[in-house]
């Protein structure tokens, strides 16, 4: 007859202690403010072994190499084309509070995301409260406008409709200035998927560049735990907040780039390549997060981290620390 008597307390203690140590507590979970690190991977297999989560990179000249990922220090992992990930690795990333985002090549589009259940709802709650309060919603929309066009550029009592009109006039003036600079005559912004190929190079490049920007902004919003759907200027779309935040950077990034490609024979590809090859959008990620935090919590000062200091080092059991921000799939 099998005994069902539980083991003595002294025997259970080591196992219970190990189990308690393995389970992350709220205090152990990394905050995005403490681990503002984003890692992009493509053409790799991400898996879990006895040491940790690793990425296996296979090349013709160097065979298969294993690079271990600093999961506890990562707030967001972006998985590009050609990437596979095991359930164990995904579970470990979730345990460490790391958001996993499925993206296009170079991270220029955001298709889906896996959010850990340990991700704080602090920023989502702040976003929702401000969105549901008409006065605060207008205040945030005004702050967005002044961030783009200068402090104290909005007269007191300006309505949201008036704000949209002012924004439209400013953007059109920016278009006219760049059109004169590049000597391309009159420019009119047009986005018509039904007649895509008939559009001029600037419109094609601008649509392509904006799509790249939307992907990176979407990833940053998800990493914070905010909702991409609750916008303050835009509404009625699952990416309304993405459009709101992306508008903060278009005059600086996508619009000048699009006009510089006015003579290109393949403006869409060149616009995407400009962001992907220069990692321009990845360097923008810490700034996006800080800007969102400032908009939703204006009474607290948030520093914009230096993107050069935020690059993640990867650990290798043989070589030690190896640089992040490097394509380890390229042959030496």
């Amino acid at each position: 007859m099998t005994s069902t008597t539980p083991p003595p307390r002294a025997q259970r203690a080591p196992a219970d202690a190990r189990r308690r140590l393995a389970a992350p507590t709220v205090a152990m979970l990394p905050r995005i403010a403490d681990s503002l690190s984003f890692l992009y991977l493509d053409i790799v297999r991400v898996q879990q072994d006895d040491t940790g989560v690793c990425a296996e990179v296979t090349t013709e000249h160097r065979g298969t190499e294993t690079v271990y990922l600093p999961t506890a220090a990562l707030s967001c992992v972006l998985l590009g084309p050609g990437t596979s990930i095991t359930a164990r690795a995904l579970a470990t990333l979730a345990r460490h509070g790391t958001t996993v985002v499925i993206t296009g090549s170079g991270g220029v589009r955001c298709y889906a995301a896996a959010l850990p259940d340990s991700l704080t709802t602090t920023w989502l709650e702040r976003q929702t409260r401000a969105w549901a309060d008409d006065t605060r919603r207008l205040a945030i929309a005004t702050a967005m406008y002044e961030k783009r066009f200068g402090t104290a550029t909005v007269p007191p009592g300006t309505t949201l409709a008036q704000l949209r009109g002012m924004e439209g006039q400013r953007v059109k003036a920016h278009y006219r200035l760049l059109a004169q600079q590049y000597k391309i005559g009159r420019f009119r912004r047009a986005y018509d998927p039904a007649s895509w190929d008939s559009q001029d190079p600037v419109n094609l490049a601008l649509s392509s560049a904006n799509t790249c920007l939307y992907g990176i902004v979407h990833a940053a919003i998800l990493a914070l735990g905010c909702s991409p759907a609750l916008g303050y200027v835009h509404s009625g779309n699952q990416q309304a907040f993405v459009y709101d935040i992306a508008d903060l950077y278009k005059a600086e990034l996508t619009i000048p780039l699009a006009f510089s490609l006015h003579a290109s024979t393949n403006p869409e590809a060149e616009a995407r390549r400009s962001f992907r090859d220069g990692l321009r959008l990845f360097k923008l990620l810490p700034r996006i997060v800080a800007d969102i935090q400032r908009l939703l919590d204006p009474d607290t000062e948030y520093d914009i981290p230096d993107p050069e200091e935020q690059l993640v080092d990867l650990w290798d059991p043989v070589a030690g620390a190896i640089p992040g921000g490097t394509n380890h799939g390229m042959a030496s």
Side-chain angles (χ1 to χ4, degrees):
M1 182 175 179
T2 303
S3 174
T4 58
T5 304
R9 187 177 185 84
Q11 295 181 18
R12 298 200 312 267
D16 291 344
R18 283 194 297 270
R19 186 164 55 251
R20 286 196 298 271
L21 284 173
T25 65
V26 173
M28 294 163 56
L29 295 174
R31 297 183 305 129
I32 190 168
D34 296 332
S35 60
L36 188 56
S37 301
F38 297 81
L39 178 65
Y40 171 77
L41 300 169
D42 62 11
I43 320 178
V44 298
R45 174 177 170 79
V46 181
Q47 62 180 17
Q48 169 84 42
D49 64 12
D50 293 337
T51 303
V53 176
C54 59
E56 288 189 348
V57 184
T58 303
T59 61
E60 181 179 351
H61 299 285
R62 299 168 62 174
T64 299
E65 299 174 289
T66 300
V67 179
Y68 285 88
L69 309 183
T71 53
L74 291 171
S75 61
C76 185
V77 173
L78 301 102
L79 302 180
T83 303
S84 63
I85 185 169
T86 65
R88 286 187 64 198
L90 195 58
T92 298
L93 290 168
R95 242 188 345 264
H96 286 141
T98 303
T99 301
V100 179
V101 181
I102 312 302
T103 75
S105 179
V108 299
R109 297 185 184 182
C110 180
Y111 297 115
L115 304 180
D117 58 7
S118 59
L119 187 63
T120 177
T121 62
T122 298
W123 291 105
L124 176 60
E125 291 169 5
R126 287 175 178 166
Q127 178 192 14
T128 305
R129 290 192 190 101
W131 178 85
D133 185 319
D134 289 346
T135 301
R136 293 182 62 190
R137 184 173 182 177
L138 179 58
I140 289 179
T142 301
M144 289 178 177
Y145 180 94
E146 292 190 338
K147 182 168 183 58
R148 297 169 64 187
F149 302 115
T151 305
T153 54
V154 179
T158 301
T159 66
L160 188 57
Q162 292 171 331
L163 200 64
R164 291 193 184 103
M166 293 164 57
E167 187 266 351
Q169 292 175 359
R170 290 266 190 166
V171 172
K172 288 179 180 177
H174 192 44
Y175 288 157
R176 285 196 299 269
L177 183 63
L178 287 171
Q180 293 172 2
Q181 178 182 336
Y182 287 98
K183 299 179 173 61
I184 62 173
R186 185 176 180 180
F187 171 77
R188 179 178 178 274
R189 175 63 175 139
Y191 176 74
D192 185 6
S195 56
W196 185 260
D197 295 333
S198 64
Q199 297 178 76
D200 61 87
V202 174
N203 271 300
L204 289 173
L206 188 53
S207 296
S208 179
N210 284 343
T211 300
C212 299
L213 179 59
Y214 295 150
I216 293 299
V217 170
H218 199 156
I221 289 172
L222 291 174
L224 265 176
C226 293
S227 168
L230 299 182
Y232 297 87
V233 177
H234 297 84
S235 65
N237 185 284
Q238 285 295 322
Q239 293 208 83
F241 194 44
V242 175
Y243 299 149
D244 280 357
I245 300 301
D247 279 351
L248 301 178
Y249 314 107
K250 288 179 180 178
E252 175 186 345
L253 286 175
T254 63
I255 296 176
L257 173 63
F259 275 87
S260 72
L261 298 174
H262 67 94
S264 171
T265 57
N266 194 354
E268 301 165 86
E270 288 193 39
R272 289 192 298 268
R273 195 178 302 116
S274 173
F275 286 127
R276 181 171 62 245
D277 295 348
L279 293 178
R280 295 168 67 189
L281 294 183
F282 284 123
K283 294 178 181 179
L284 183 67
L285 274 168
R287 178 178 163 193
I288 294 172
V289 172
D291 286 342
I292 294 173
Q293 290 174 325
R294 284 199 185 112
L295 288 168
L296 300 181
D297 185 18
D299 297 329
T300 304
E301 182 61 30
Y302 293 94
D303 294 328
I304 299 176
D306 182 352
E308 298 301 329
E309 296 179 358
Q310 293 298 322
L311 292 178
V312 182
D313 285 335
L314 307 179
W315 178 76
D316 184 271
V318 177
I322 59 177
T326 301
N327 185 353
H328 294 281
M330 296 182 66
S332 57

